[in-house]
Amino acid sequence: MPASPSTARAINDRVALQLLQREGPLTAGQLKVMTGLSRPTVADLVERLQGSGLIQVVGESGEQRRGPNARVYGIVADRAHLAALDVRTQGVTLVVADLLGVTLAEASLPIGDDTGTEPAVERAVALLERTVREAGAARLHSVGIGAPGLIDPLSGELRDTSGLPAWHRRLVAALQDRLPARVVVENETNLAALAEQRAGAARDRDTFVYLWLGHGVGAALFLDGRLRRGASGGAGEIGFLPVPGTAGLPSANDCDGGFHSLAGSAAICELAEQYGIEAAPARGPAAAALVAAAVAGDHAGFLDALAHRLSLGAAAVASVLDPGCVVLGGEVGRAGGEELAARVETRLAALTPLPTQVRAGDLGGDAVLHGALLTAREAAQDELFAPGA
């Protein structure tokens, strides 16, 4: 059945808004070409979207041609304000942005192991409130949170996970209770994979596996254009994967003996010590600085040994999922760059008959915050761009 006039208008409006989001400011003529709609239809939707406060005139074009200049329309960036939080074991990093994803203010807060749960939560909430004020935002529309641990696929809540600080789960609950905003929480590795797919090393892939290499290890599964979280939200807990080369086997409560024992930051630091590699302390996992020093110093032996370790986990995942591409992400993946990725790809080719590219992530540790902001922006757009919003 053909769409009703109101449904057609809603569809056309959303298509136009998505184009303006993706392409930036456009003229009515450009919208006509890109949407395939008639000139009167485009004129109507522009008037409608202006009246709803979603778009505005942001300039003119056509100075080089005869006749009147064409108005250029863009999304009203301050129609909604967003926040994104990267919650780590050692603290919180956050940004406040507008509807276009432009960062207006940012901040970070270290939280030590000796900080109590409630003080940690209150300090993190206060940091967000202060950063919102600094950004000039009256209120937040949507908040995206990236955190380690499992996300319940039914409730969308962060599950109580052994080995992680109690303030993580309490912070998410506090933000959901206290903010007049939509709060979306997602596993940090999944968000990093989303960011690499939208704006990083996997822009041309709708199927790939993302390996997070930071303080710990994790994986995200992007299959047929969708993140796959598993029945309990635990898809990608690759740190527990039994692999050769470890001193034992992992257990239900401890990933020591699993892939984490080979590829976690502490394990990579031990490996670097064996090869006499040193690096000055830097922000983030110590392993990232050591890997960067190894690449800069052409320490082939260390890089080959690390590539062998990483290929064991990658081969296990590739043999089950056949993703065609593995992205080495996180701070360590970015530090290793294409040099490490190429070595992993060579070793992976010897372990599996399935052709699998290995790429270095573009975004490093910033991928989590980037993915959280994308999630917040999409949540806001789903509501604001909806018919009758």
Side-chain angles (χ1 to χ4, degrees):
M1 294 179 59
S4 67
S6 60
T7 301
R9 286 194 294 270
I11 293 172
N12 293 339
D13 289 356
R14 191 173 183 94
V15 169
L17 287 165
Q18 289 172 339
L19 282 171
L20 290 167
Q21 177 72 61
R22 186 176 72 241
E23 304 293 336
L26 299 168
T27 66
Q30 290 171 320
L31 283 171
K32 174 183 177 297
V33 172
M34 292 181 178
T35 61
L37 299 172
S38 68
R39 189 178 301 277
T41 300
V42 170
D44 287 344
L45 75 82
V46 166
E47 183 178 354
R48 249 189 335 270
L49 294 176
Q50 281 187 288
S52 67
L54 286 172
I55 70 172
Q56 63 185 355
V57 176
V58 296
E60 294 183 344
S61 69
E63 291 82 353
Q64 304 304 318
R65 63 176 175 81
R66 299 175 62 183
N69 295 338
R71 292 178 176 179
V72 178
Y73 300 93
I75 290 177
V76 179
D78 60 1
R79 176 63 187 271
H81 289 98
L82 321 168
L85 287 81
D86 180 1
V87 180
R88 303 286 183 98
T89 304
Q90 302 84 7
V92 176
T93 302
L94 62 88
V95 299
V96 176
D98 62 25
L99 187 56
L100 294 176
V102 176
T103 297
L104 304 176
E106 53 191 326
S108 61
L109 173 71
I111 296 178
D113 295 338
D114 57 346
T115 306
T117 297
E118 291 307 318
V121 170
E122 291 305 318
R123 288 174 61 192
V125 172
L127 179 71
L128 176 58
E129 293 172 341
R130 183 168 65 251
T131 309
V132 170
R133 290 194 299 270
E134 292 173 356
R139 62 179 293 271
L140 294 174
H141 183 285
S142 300
V143 179
I145 302 175
L150 304 182
I151 309 299
D152 189 298
L154 297 179
S155 67
E157 296 179 352
L158 185 65
R159 290 166 53 181
D160 190 9
T161 306
S162 61
L164 294 177
W167 64 264
H168 280 197
R169 191 164 186 265
R170 182 71 192 94
L171 172 61
V172 172
L175 292 174
Q176 290 171 330
D177 290 341
R178 293 162 59 170
L179 290 179
R182 180 178 179 184
V183 178
V184 183
V185 60
E186 178 61 271
N187 173 267
E188 59 178 356
T189 305
N190 286 344
L191 288 179
L194 175 67
E196 291 285 1
Q197 200 274 335
R198 298 288 179 81
R203 285 188 297 270
D204 61 336
R205 305 288 308 194
D206 62 2
T207 294
F208 68 98
V209 167
Y210 176 88
L211 290 186
W212 173 267
L213 304 171
H215 288 288
V217 296
L221 318 178
F222 223 100
L223 307 178
D224 300 322
R226 292 179 57 195
L227 275 168
R228 307 293 177 166
R229 297 173 176 82
S232 64
E237 288 295 314
I238 197 173
F240 288 87
L241 182 72
V243 291
T246 63
L249 290 173
S251 70
N253 300 315
D254 193 347
C255 59
D256 283 345
F259 185 55
H260 174 84
S261 297
L262 295 183
S265 180
I268 295 175
C269 289
E270 292 176 3
L271 182 66
E273 185 177 0
Q274 295 174 22
Y275 283 87
I277 299 171
E278 297 180 349
R283 176 176 172 268
L290 292 167
V291 170
V295 172
D298 193 25
H299 291 276
F302 166 78
L303 293 174
D304 284 340
L306 177 58
H308 171 70
R309 291 184 175 194
L310 298 180
S311 70
L312 296 177
V317 175
S319 65
V320 175
L321 298 176
D322 186 19
C325 179
V326 173
V327 175
L328 304 182
E331 295 91 347
V332 175
R334 186 176 187 182
E338 293 303 327
E339 176 72 19
L340 179 60
R343 293 170 187 266
V344 175
E345 183 172 316
T346 297
R347 281 150 186 79
L348 188 57
L351 295 175
T352 174
L354 305 175
T356 308
Q357 293 182 349
V358 179
R359 303 176 180 178
D362 289 341
L363 304 176
D366 294 335
V368 177
L369 203 58
H370 193 123
L373 185 56
L374 282 171
T375 300
R377 192 174 74 179
E378 290 176 359
Q381 291 174 356
D382 283 345
E383 179 178 323
L384 295 174
F385 295 178

